Amino acid sequence: MTMSKCDQCIIKQFNSLRALEKDDLIRISGCKTSKYIKKGEVLFKEGDNINGVYCVKSGVCKMSKLSANGKDQIVKLVVRGDLIGQRSLVTDEVSNLTAIAVNEMEVCFIPKNEVLHDLAKNASFSLDMLQDMGRELRVADNIIVDMAQKSVKRRLADVLTYLHETFDKDEDGYVSVVLSREDYASLVGTATESAIRILSQFKKEGLIATTGKHVKIVDFDGLRRVE
Amino acid sequence: MTMSKCDQCIIKQFNSLRALEKDDLIRISGCKTSKYIKKGEVLFKEGDNINGVYCVKSGVCKMSKLSANGKDQIVKLVVRGDLIGQRSLVTDEVSNLTAIAVNEMEVCFIPKNEVLHDLAKNASFSLDMLQDMGRELRVADNIIVDMAQKSVKRRLADVLTYLHETFDKDEDGYVSVVLSREDYASLVGTATESAIRILSQFKKEGLIATTGKHVKIVDFDGLRRVE
DNA sequence: TGGAAAACATGACAATTATCATAGGGATTA
DNA sequence: TAATCCCTATGATAATTGTCATGTTTTCCA
């Protein structure tokens, strides 16, 4: 099996690695490791020292954190093209989040030392990373406000819309990425039973259609009006 | 009145500006503006193009965001030594937050163009800023989990503890920074009446003492055990 | 392929939190 | 100093959400 080369990889267009020079990408190719992760497998756990970044070539990953009451809260979903673990590049802290594959993933791991060198040398690379973290920070602010002010029902409607906008749909309009009811609950921060109940209600009201775990939005306007 | 010089300013120890060279600090001194802001005054609003960073020399500032239901949610408090508006340095986006002084503040404003130049030139400056944003991101993740999983009572107990740990206390142990009941509500994401009720309850249970807006923690362990 | 385990579903009830109404107290201003 | 306004406070009630219990369906794997 041949290892793909970073400088020819399309994925890098989607993240800060695009700011690197060809020579640096070739050097990084030489020390990166490539990995397949099965659905449900743990990439790393809260408290792990990851010492590098993962670049997601395909698949989806949930980033979660264990709360004091023992429930997992999904903080964000990481998709194709995203980098995981940028924070570990600039601090020696361990990860604050656990990463678990939602479906089969292919990721590349680049050791910290290799990239640290580029951050110091290449200003446009570090600027790109600053912009990226700034964007993440803005998204996080929005989530805080939503968690604090919106109802569970409204948050679940938002998640459904987000999934619809973010992922591919099959020929019938069903979102390609499937989550368990527990994942939905963990995304909006509610009890699993509540998530199940609200999804059932949405279905009964004709806002969504479901077959098993597969979900499709039927009435966009209706979903937008949910309070 | 003489304008103070950045290179001699103690405040810069607390933020990324510490990574700058003396020459650069002197140059920045020449183009910065200094400003006093009275309690309740707006430094900038959500949607404003701030085009620079504020460095907080003294005072406290609440950073809030208007939610869909018309309530303000305080996302964080900014204190002495913090920089406000780092995101505006690396993106052209407008601010996502409103900044309002909680008490009298003294801030310095440094125009974007002046600092942008340093970000490109000085790797340890941009690395410091990356570290800082990484920290902020971690804090934001924690807040998301707390908002999603903890009760209002528990969140209010956390806020009281945070205020006690973050700000000075007078000789009787009362926290120097005073917030309105509405501010407390806006910090934990609840109705003002609920915040008032819980503070009254904490007082009745002997966890805190209050005189007017001034608050003091009496029973730390008790407050820690609140659920 | 059968059986266990996990995920989904729903009812009943309890706990939490929001909303509305009302009123007192303290600061500010005419 | 009185009038006014804003903040604080508290009761009553409604709405939301969580918890526990129980049954069904689906998935997984030995």
Side-chain angles (χ1 to χ4, degrees):
Chain A
M1 170 188 155
T2 50
M3 175 78 82
S4 65
K5 302 222 170 52
C6 294
D7 61 309
Q8 291 159 19
C9 179
I10 330 164
I11 295 296
K12 72 167 196 294
Q13 304 292 353
F14 300 122
N15 61 48
S16 303
L17 295 177
R18 82 196 118 207
L20 292 180
E21 307 286 342
K22 185 167 183 184
D23 288 351
D24 293 319
L25 285 169
I26 290 174
R27 174 176 47 78
I28 283 176
S29 270
C31 59
K32 80 170 205 284
T33 54
S34 181
K35 205 172 174 181
Y36 287 89
I37 299 140
K38 285 202 287 276
K39 175 179 172 173
E41 263 185 30
V42 176
L43 191 51
F44 56 82
K45 286 210 295 282
E46 204 176 330
D48 284 357
N49 203 323
I50 52 181
N51 260 311
V53 282
Y54 292 91
C55 178
V56 180
K57 290 189 78 172
S58 69
V60 180
C61 177
K62 54 183 179 185
M63 307 292 299
S64 66
K65 192 166 156 46
L66 198 64
S67 73
N69 64 25
K71 281 190 202 161
D72 272 315
Q73 172 69 31
I74 299 180
V75 173
K76 61 181 159 190
L77 294 181
V78 169
V79 305
R80 186 179 119 105
D82 286 346
L83 290 180
I84 311 178
Q86 281 121 308
R87 270 187 57 238
S88 89
L89 292 184
V90 291
T91 71
D92 287 328
E93 295 169 18
V94 297
S95 174
N96 60 327
L97 301 174
T98 294
I100 299 178
V102 166
N103 46 32
E104 190 176 345
M105 298 180 73
E106 187 184 359
V107 298
C108 292
F109 177 77
I110 304 167
K112 173 174 178 169
N113 288 338
E114 217 53 46
V115 192
L116 212 48
H117 164 259
D118 293 298
L119 272 180
K121 198 187 62 180
N122 184 337
S124 81
F125 178 46
S126 53
L127 191 68
D128 201 307
M129 258 188 67
L130 274 172
Q131 289 172 343
D132 194 63
M133 288 187 116
R135 260 190 301 276
E136 284 197 51
L137 218 41
R138 180 168 50 79
V139 171
D141 285 345
N142 288 336
I143 295 177
I144 290 173
V145 176
D146 288 352
M147 286 291 177
Q149 305 276 359
K150 290 185 180 174
S151 69
V152 172
K153 211 183 281 183
R154 177 66 255 162
R155 274 161 21 221
L156 190 46
D158 286 341
V159 164
L160 291 170
T161 308
Y162 163 76
L163 294 174
H164 177 89
E165 287 169 350
T166 307
F167 299 108
D168 293 336
K169 269 76 62 185
D170 70 11
E171 63 274 11
D172 296 326
Y174 283 87
V175 177
S176 60
V177 172
V178 296
L179 298 173
S180 70
R181 304 296 196 257
E182 191 180 357
D183 285 334
Y184 282 104
S186 185
L187 270 168
V188 302
T190 191
T192 306
E193 296 95 323
S194 297
I196 290 174
R197 247 183 267 273
I198 295 171
L199 285 174
S200 300
Q201 190 194 335
F202 284 173
K203 186 175 182 178
K204 218 171 283 170
E205 294 172 349
L207 304 178
I208 63 171
T210 65
T211 46
K213 288 190 204 294
H214 287 266
V215 177
K216 157 192 182 181
I217 298 185
V218 176
D219 180 358
F220 291 89
D221 280 344
L223 209 54
R224 202 175 299 127
R225 282 194 302 268
V226 163
E227 290 199 8
Chain B
M1 169 187 156
T2 49
M3 176 75 84
S4 65
K5 302 218 170 53
C6 294
D7 61 311
Q8 290 157 22
C9 180
I10 330 166
I11 295 297
K12 72 166 195 298
Q13 305 291 353
F14 300 122
N15 61 48
S16 303
L17 295 177
R18 84 195 117 206
L20 292 180
E21 306 286 342
K22 185 167 182 182
D23 288 352
D24 294 318
L25 286 168
I26 290 173
R27 173 175 48 75
I28 283 174
S29 270
C31 60
K32 80 172 205 284
T33 55
S34 181
K35 204 171 176 182
Y36 287 89
I37 298 139
K38 285 203 285 278
K39 174 180 170 169
E41 263 184 33
V42 175
L43 190 50
F44 57 81
K45 287 209 294 282
E46 204 176 330
D48 285 357
N49 204 322
I50 53 181
N51 259 313
V53 283
Y54 291 91
C55 178
V56 180
K57 291 188 77 172
S58 68
V60 180
C61 177
K62 54 183 177 185
M63 309 293 298
S64 66
K65 190 165 159 48
L66 198 64
S67 71
N69 65 23
K71 281 191 201 162
D72 272 315
Q73 172 70 30
I74 299 180
V75 172
K76 62 182 158 190
L77 295 179
V78 168
V79 304
R80 184 179 121 104
D82 286 346
L83 290 180
I84 312 178
Q86 281 123 305
R87 269 189 55 238
S88 88
L89 291 184
V90 290
T91 71
D92 288 327
E93 295 169 16
V94 296
S95 174
N96 60 325
L97 301 174
T98 295
I100 298 178
V102 166
N103 47 31
E104 189 175 345
M105 297 180 75
E106 187 185 359
V107 299
C108 292
F109 177 77
I110 305 168
K112 173 174 177 166
N113 286 340
E114 217 52 47
V115 192
L116 214 47
H117 165 258
D118 291 300
L119 272 181
K121 199 188 62 179
N122 184 337
S124 80
F125 178 45
S126 53
L127 191 67
D128 201 307
M129 258 188 67
L130 274 172
Q131 288 172 343
D132 195 62
M133 290 186 118
R135 260 189 301 275
E136 285 197 53
L137 219 42
R138 182 169 48 79
V139 171
D141 285 345
N142 288 335
I143 296 177
I144 289 172
V145 177
D146 288 352
M147 287 290 178
Q149 305 277 358
K150 290 185 179 175
S151 70
V152 172
K153 212 183 281 184
R154 179 64 255 161
R155 263 143 52 201
L156 190 45
D158 286 342
V159 164
L160 291 169
T161 308
Y162 163 77
L163 295 173
H164 177 90
E165 286 170 351
T166 308
F167 299 108
D168 293 335
K169 270 74 63 184
D170 70 11
E171 63 275 9
D172 296 326
Y174 284 87
V175 178
S176 60
V177 172
V178 297
L179 299 173
S180 68
R181 303 296 195 257
E182 193 180 356
D183 285 335
Y184 281 104
S186 184
L187 270 167
V188 302
T190 191
T192 307
E193 296 96 321
S194 297
I196 290 175
R197 248 182 265 273
I198 294 171
L199 285 174
S200 300
Q201 189 194 337
F202 282 174
K203 188 177 181 177
K204 219 171 282 171
E205 294 172 348
L207 303 178
I208 63 172
T210 65
T211 46
K213 288 189 204 292
H214 287 267
V215 177
K216 158 192 179 181
I217 297 184
V218 176
D219 180 358
F220 291 90
D221 280 344
L223 209 55
R224 202 173 300 129
R225 282 193 303 266
V226 163
E227 292 197 6

